């Protein structure tokens, strides 16, 4: 073989590796990415100068690479989920994460709204070891806070005459199941796929849609973790990302309600599309006939029993996904 051909053949694998590394950079997060990846201890080291990146709907900076990468992927996934539900991109968010050995200070601006800075505990044990992957825990809290602001901004986009400063979760005119389901839909989390599996396997014993839609279905105490800055979504640290022999722990309490409303809103949004979802939320915000707006769907009626039957049928295929 000619020398130059031998050199070219030797260099080709290196070029492939370099190309893969370039493609795995920030741009690939626009198309999603691995949420909940294994932590790299070296990436958890504090950087002398914060690093930064950007994606669909946000600019992000942090002094820890693991927080930067995990939060980047989950924020991108959240922004794309928001766009799928409502047909428009959320306002760009500026997110800054400053970590020390005990907590992460989060500074967040969404559109023109500056959120009061908040901290998220690293939740380490007595030996200084993380109880759960820190990057996942921090990303979950940041994405939840950002999603609340995305939805609050959406309110003013849908109803320009609305001058209230109330946040999304304080919008009592919007049924609690819809508020929480849309928040979870935009605050993408590694546990959501597991929720769907669990709900599908428990679908015969789940609360009815009529029960989920009751005004008292989730009181202030139930909603508290979804409204406080610095909290991760309930259940985000409780559901294993892998299971042994396909078995998963049963959902209960507040986590079961959050998972159920998440899946119900996913069912409605995927069946009916962005125009319907925008009209449904607008009707609730303006005090219109919500039952009529719900009944304007093409694939179900406003009768909770009808929605219930179709929701459970929709859930069934999630019970045993490939590889389980």
């Amino acid at each position: 073989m000619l020398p130059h051909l031998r050199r070219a053949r030797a260099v080709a694998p290196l070029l492939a590796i370099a190309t893969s590394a370039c493609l795995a950079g920030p741009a690939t997060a626009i198309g999603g990415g691995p949420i909940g990846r294994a932590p790299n201890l070296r990436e958890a080291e504090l950087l002398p100068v914060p690093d930064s990146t950007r994606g669909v709907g946000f600019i992000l900076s942090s002094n820890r690479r693991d927080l930067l990468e995990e939060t980047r992927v989950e924020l991108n996934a959240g922004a794309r989920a928001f766009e799928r539900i409502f047909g428009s991109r959320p306002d760009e968010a500026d997110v800054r994460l400053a970590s020390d050995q005990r907590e992460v200070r989060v500074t967040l601006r969404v559109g023109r709204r500056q959120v009061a800075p908040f901290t998220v505990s690293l939740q380490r044990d007595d030996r200084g070891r993380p109880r759960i992957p820190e990057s996942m825990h921090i990303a979950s809290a940041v994405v939840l806070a950002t999603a609340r602001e995305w939805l609050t901004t959406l309110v003013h986009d849908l109803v320009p005459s609305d001058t209230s400063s109330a946040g999304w979760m304080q919008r009592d005119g919007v049924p609690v199941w819809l508020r929480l389901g849309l928040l979870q839909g935009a605050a993408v989390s590694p546990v959501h796929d597991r929720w769907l599996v669990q709900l599908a396997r428990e679908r015969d014993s789940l609360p009815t849609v009529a029960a989920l839609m009751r005004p008292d279905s989730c009181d202030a105490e139930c909603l508290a973790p979804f409204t406080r800055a610095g909290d991760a979504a309930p259940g985000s640290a409780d559901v294993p990302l892998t299971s042994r022999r396909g078995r998963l722990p049963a959902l209960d309490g507040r986590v079961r309600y959050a998972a159920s409303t998440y899946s119900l809103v996913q069912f409605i949004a995927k069946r009916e599309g962005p125009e319907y979802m925008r009209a449904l939320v607008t009707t609730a915000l303006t005090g219109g006939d919500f039952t009529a707006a719900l009944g304007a769907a093409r694939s179900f009626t406003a009768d909770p029993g009808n929605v219930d039957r179709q929701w459970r049928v929709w859930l069934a295929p999630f019970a045993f996904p490939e590889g389980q």
Side-chain angles (χ1 to χ4, degrees):
M1 184 183 295
L2 295 175
H4 68 279
L5 290 178
R6 283 199 298 268
R7 286 195 299 270
R9 184 167 293 183
V11 169
L14 298 177
L15 289 175
I17 293 172
T19 303
S20 299
C22 291
L23 292 176
T28 59
I30 294 177
I35 297 178
R37 65 193 180 94
N40 183 323
L41 295 181
R42 292 187 63 186
E43 290 187 351
E45 296 175 355
L46 301 184
L47 302 174
V49 178
D51 198 358
S52 64
T53 186
R54 67 183 301 141
V56 178
F58 68 89
I59 301 171
L60 172 66
S61 65
S62 177
N63 63 336
R64 276 179 52 173
R65 287 195 181 91
D66 60 333
L67 302 186
L68 190 75
E69 289 303 306
E70 185 71 27
T71 307
R72 170 178 64 85
V73 172
E74 293 194 33
L75 278 172
N76 266 318
R80 293 178 69 83
F82 183 99
E83 187 173 0
R84 284 193 296 271
I85 294 171
F86 295 110
S88 60
R89 290 189 177 185
D91 270 1
E92 188 165 90
D94 188 330
V95 187
R96 303 181 184 220
L97 310 177
S99 178
D100 58 24
Q101 298 300 330
R102 296 177 303 171
E103 61 188 19
V104 176
R105 181 177 173 83
V106 181
T107 305
L108 174 63
R109 179 183 56 76
V110 178
R112 297 180 180 179
R113 291 171 59 88
Q114 183 68 51
V115 180
F118 60 91
T119 59
V120 186
S121 169
L122 291 176
Q123 294 192 347
R124 293 177 177 175
D125 61 21
D126 295 338
R127 297 183 180 180
R129 297 174 302 189
R131 295 176 182 174
I132 60 172
E134 289 177 350
S135 59
M136 290 174 56
H137 173 63
I138 300 302
S140 178
V142 171
V143 173
L144 188 67
T146 306
R148 277 197 300 266
E149 297 306 317
W150 282 338
L151 287 164
T152 298
T153 301
L154 175 75
V155 168
H156 300 289
D157 291 342
L158 295 177
V159 187
S161 61
D162 188 304
T163 58
S164 171
S165 60
W168 171 251
M169 293 306 292
Q170 285 73 44
R171 294 286 177 161
D172 294 336
V174 180
V176 64
W177 66 269
L178 185 58
R179 268 182 284 158
L180 188 51
L182 285 172
L183 177 63
Q184 293 290 328
V188 172
S189 167
V191 305
H192 287 169
D193 287 343
R194 287 296 180 189
W195 276 0
L196 292 175
V197 173
Q198 290 169 286
L199 291 169
R201 294 179 186 180
E202 300 172 22
R203 64 188 180 279
D204 292 336
S205 61
L206 293 176
T208 64
V209 166
L212 293 173
M213 289 183 171
R214 284 204 314 262
D216 61 351
S217 58
C218 186
D219 60 17
E221 182 180 356
C222 168
L223 283 176
F226 300 97
T227 61
R228 290 192 301 255
D231 282 353
S236 60
D238 304 325
V239 181
L241 296 180
T242 58
S243 61
R244 183 173 296 177
R245 298 180 182 177
R247 297 176 183 175
L248 291 167
L251 293 169
D252 55 22
R254 181 163 44 206
V255 176
R256 191 182 205 192
Y257 183 81
S260 297
T261 56
Y262 162 75
S263 68
L264 179 60
V265 170
Q266 288 294 299
F267 157 71
I268 294 173
K270 290 183 178 182
R271 283 284 186 91
E272 299 302 316
E275 185 176 347
Y276 174 89
M277 295 305 296
R278 293 173 71 90
L280 190 66
V281 174
T282 301
T283 299
L285 289 169
T286 56
D289 189 338
F290 186 79
T291 300
L294 185 65
R298 299 182 302 271
S299 55
F300 52 81
T301 71
D303 175 20
N306 181 268
V307 180
D308 188 281
R309 287 189 295 275
Q310 298 200 51
W311 169 55
R312 292 173 200 267
V313 169
W314 178 82
L315 274 175
F318 293 102
F320 295 97
E322 292 184 22
Q324 290 287 314

